[in-house]
Amino acid sequence: MLKRIIRPLTLAICVTLLATTVFAGAPKYVFYFIGDGLGPTQRMAAELYNKMETNNPDAKLVMNTFPNTALVTTYSDNTLITDSAAGGTALSCGYKTTNGYLAKLPDGTNVTTLAEAAKEKGFAIGIVTTTRLTHATPAAFSAHNTDRNAADAIAIDQANSDFDFFAGGGYRYFVAKNNKKGLKSKRKDDKDVVKMFADKGYTLFVGDSTRDAFRSYTPKKGDKVFAALAYSHIPYEIARRNSNLKENKIPALSEMTAKAVDSLAAQDKPFFLMVEGGRIDHAAHAHDAASTILDTLAMDAAVKVAYDFYKKHPEETLIVTAADHETGGVGLGISMDSKGYFLNLKALEKVSVSAEDNLNGFYNKLAKKESNLEKRHAAFIKYIESKWGLTDRTESENKVLTDAMNVQDKNQSLPKAEKVSYGYSYTPTMVAVTDLVSQRSRVFWTSFVHTGTFIPASAIGVGAQNFNGFIDNTDIPTRIAAAIGAKLSTDKKTDSKALLGKTYGPQEKYAKIPYNK
């Protein structure tokens, strides 16, 4: 009798162990999504806006449905508030470093990036971003430098990386001066980095005119792709939605992600793909609630591309979503009325342009065209009514706008050092408008820069159970590397734990770095 019980029990245990072993195997396909500046409130605001926009109270961000979640600390080696270079390095290499450093320890030692380690394991590698490709986060996976602003050198590192797929913006640091295509270059040397990619056999999509070709391109085995589709950053998602200009033709982040998946999958080997929603951070710096939300939704649409792939390969795929830091110190529900606490995200539906790319310089351009102050003010009011939905204004709102215009009028005659500005040289009129729109939607900002709050991470797939609880940003790449059997190492043995919290204030070197967000 006992034997009859034990045999089926033993068989059941063996079957269970076998199933567990299969699930616990190394993932063949790894997706790593990084939302620059994407804190928990940004994710929540985007989900609430999506419910409203789709008229579906059950709608959720795809990344918010993943079963494994963690809260992640983000401080860097030299300050409690990280920048994107040190944050990107932590997420890429598993080591804390000094703000401004890319894939290097504070002493300048090179650190192996997760992308490099995966390549050594035979993975095809892809990098996709809505920022310039030489920007901090993509650079932290594909370059090594103690200066995040050394874009000329970063571009060369990327050409030498031999990664399989690049897509994003910033062709200005790759094209040579006086190039035959007539593309504007910002390189300070005579290097033709595009030619470096070409000589290595990459299929090239460089410049605005190549966007349609990129979209229609069908990858095949053996192809490597370099796509720099914009002079600077990829335009905000709000431009794609509302503009009839060329911005509307640029592929969305989800399209670039899908093209990367097609290209990497065509190589018939494992792949690692890092995708950055980079302009979430830029929008939050500018207190642009609408663009912050829409670029978060754009990133989530890219996550859905990976999730659809995962559903076809559930026992071979790992998806991890994270962020380098939170930006703006954003909160929801800044006031209440007789009916209680509430949000009014519907006020953001009337916004049709981004703050940083449009509003920040609008008044100064207007001042050059119109010398009559009364006409200038009237033209500005007409603009914000049309593009920002600021109609039916209260007396106090009108005063805020008038005061901002008066300050900016005075700015016209002042030397640069004496001009009134906010954050990253944001104009008084821009700040007045974005804050009024935010107040109408009941969104509250505490900072123009990064904050030290926890960021959320979520995961699904093979090994996703390792991304739970309270963890540090350096734990994420370490655990991804362990899942695929890759090794993150340096050419100088350094215990990252020994680096934590050496100093908690700005260092002189950090304070002098001219960060370009």
Side-chain angles (χ1 to χ4, degrees), residues 224-343:
K224 290 187 177 183
V225 174
F226 176 75
L229 303 172
Y231 171 72
S232 186
H233 304 302
I234 299 296
Y236 283 104
E237 179 64 14
I238 200 168
R240 286 180 39 76
R241 287 190 176 206
N242 296 293
S243 176
N244 292 319
L245 303 177
K246 64 182 181 181
E247 290 92 336
N248 226 15
K249 298 178 182 178
I250 198 166
L253 181 60
S254 58
E255 291 181 86
M256 290 192 286
T257 302
K259 193 66 68 178
V261 172
D262 290 345
S263 183
L264 297 175
Q267 306 316 308
D268 195 25
K269 59 168 127 175
F271 68 72
F272 169 87
L273 175 60
M274 190 287 290
V275 179
E276 183 201 21
R279 303 214 71 186
I280 300 166
D281 168 74
H282 298 177
H285 274 294
H287 293 184
D288 186 346
S291 287
T292 300
I293 286 171
L294 293 183
D295 266 60
T296 301
L297 292 177
M299 174 176 154
D300 196 61
V303 174
K304 185 180 184 302
V305 171
Y307 183 61
D308 288 343
F309 182 93
Y310 158 80
K311 287 188 288 186
K312 296 176 183 177
H313 309 275
E315 295 182 352
E316 299 177 296
T317 305
L318 170 64
I319 306 173
V320 179
T321 73
D324 50 1
H325 52 73
E326 193 275 346
T327 302
V330 65
L332 302 179
I334 64 171
S335 62
M336 62 179 289
D337 63 9
S338 59
K339 297 178 182 179
Y341 302 102
F342 70 99
L343 280 169

Side-chain angles (χ1 to χ4, degrees), residues 30 49 70 76 85 91 119 128 161 175 183 197 201 214-215 227 230 273 286 319 335 354 393 424 461 507 517:
V30 178
Y49 190 90
S76 66
L91 291 173
K119 181 175 173 54
V128 174
S161 71
V175 298
L183 297 173
F197 279 102
F214 174 83
R215 183 178 276 114
L273 175 60
I319 306 173
S335 62
S354 68
R393 294 179 303 280
Y424 286 97
Q507 294 180 348
K517 295 195 297 300

Side-chain angles (χ1 to χ4, degrees), residues 94-422:
Y95 285 86
K96 298 287 187 183
T97 194
T98 304
N99 282 13
Y101 282 29
L102 297 166
K104 281 183 176 285
L105 295 179
D107 65 4
T109 303
N110 278 350
V111 189
T112 302
T113 76
L114 185 55
E116 292 167 343
K119 181 175 173 54
E120 289 177 4
K121 288 290 294 183
F123 281 59
I125 307 299
I127 303 289
V128 174
T129 181
T130 52
T131 68
R132 297 187 292 270
L133 283 162
T134 55
H135 214 245
T137 301
F141 283 80
S142 54
H144 300 267
N145 208 294
T146 55
D147 180 5
R148 60 174 285 176
N149 293 313
D152 285 3
I154 291 166
I156 292 173
D157 274 3
Q158 291 174 328
N160 289 329
S161 71
D162 205 29
F163 291 172
D164 300 83
F165 189 96
F166 286 94
Y171 65 70
R172 67 195 199 185
Y173 293 116
F174 295 91
V175 298
K177 295 176 182 177
N178 303 315
N179 58 86
K180 293 180 180 179
K181 289 190 175 182
L183 297 173
K184 186 178 178 182
S185 175
K186 282 197 73 173
R187 291 196 64 85
K188 298 174 183 177
D189 57 27
D190 296 322
K191 295 283 187 181
D192 187 343
V193 184
V194 172
K195 186 177 184 301
M196 291 177 65
F197 279 102
D199 290 345
K200 292 173 179 288
Y202 282 76
T203 300
L204 304 175
F205 302 94
V206 180
D208 298 9
S209 64
T210 65
R211 295 170 180 177
D212 290 340
F214 174 83
R215 183 178 276 114
S216 61
Y217 165 69
T218 301
K220 60 183 185 299
K221 188 173 182 179
D223 285 1
K224 290 187 177 183
V225 174
F226 176 75
L229 303 172
Y231 171 72
S232 186
H233 304 302
I234 299 296
Y236 283 104
E237 179 64 14
I238 200 168
R240 286 180 39 76
R241 287 190 176 206
N242 296 293
S243 176
N244 292 319
L245 303 177
K246 64 182 181 181
E247 290 92 336
N248 226 15
K249 298 178 182 178
I250 198 166
L253 181 60
S254 58
E255 291 181 86
M256 290 192 286
T257 302
K259 193 66 68 178
V261 172
D262 290 345
S263 183
L264 297 175
Q267 306 316 308
D268 195 25
K269 59 168 127 175
F271 68 72
F272 169 87
L273 175 60
M274 190 287 290
V275 179
E276 183 201 21
R279 303 214 71 186
I280 300 166
D281 168 74
H282 298 177
H285 274 294
H287 293 184
D288 186 346
S291 287
T292 300
I293 286 171
L294 293 183
D295 266 60
T296 301
L297 292 177
M299 174 176 154
D300 196 61
V303 174
K304 185 180 184 302
V305 171
Y307 183 61
D308 288 343
F309 182 93
Y310 158 80
K311 287 188 288 186
K312 296 176 183 177
H313 309 275
E315 295 182 352
E316 299 177 296
T317 305
L318 170 64
I319 306 173
V320 179
T321 73
D324 50 1
H325 52 73
E326 193 275 346
T327 302
V330 65
L332 302 179
I334 64 171
S335 62
M336 62 179 289
D337 63 9
S338 59
K339 297 178 182 179
Y341 302 102
F342 70 99
L343 280 169
N344 182 30
L345 295 181
K346 197 165 185 64
L348 301 178
E349 286 185 315
K350 299 176 181 179
V351 180
S352 60
V353 295
S354 68
E356 184 184 30
D357 289 354
N358 297 274
L359 179 60
N360 195 40
F362 183 85
Y363 193 85
N364 286 339
K365 292 177 182 178
L366 188 62
K368 292 179 180 179
K369 295 179 181 179
E370 181 56 71
S371 58
N372 182 284
L373 288 182
E374 187 175 341
K375 291 182 179 180
R376 184 190 303 174
H377 288 199
F380 182 72
I381 294 299
K382 183 179 179 181
Y383 170 74
I384 64 167
E385 287 178 341
S386 171
K387 301 297 186 181
W388 290 83
L390 285 175
T391 57
D392 303 320
R393 294 179 303 280
T394 64
E395 187 175 326
S396 62
E397 286 178 326
N398 278 328
K399 185 178 186 306
V400 168
L401 294 170
T402 300
D403 288 347
M405 287 186 286
N406 288 337
V407 170
Q408 208 155 326
D409 289 332
K410 292 179 181 178
N411 273 356
Q412 306 300 319
S413 60
L414 294 175
K416 186 176 180 179
E418 297 178 21
K419 292 181 188 294
V420 176
S421 64
Y422 305 88

Side-chain angles (χ1 to χ4, degrees), residues 51 215 502:
K51 290 176 185 290
R215 183 178 276 114
K502 286 199 304 186

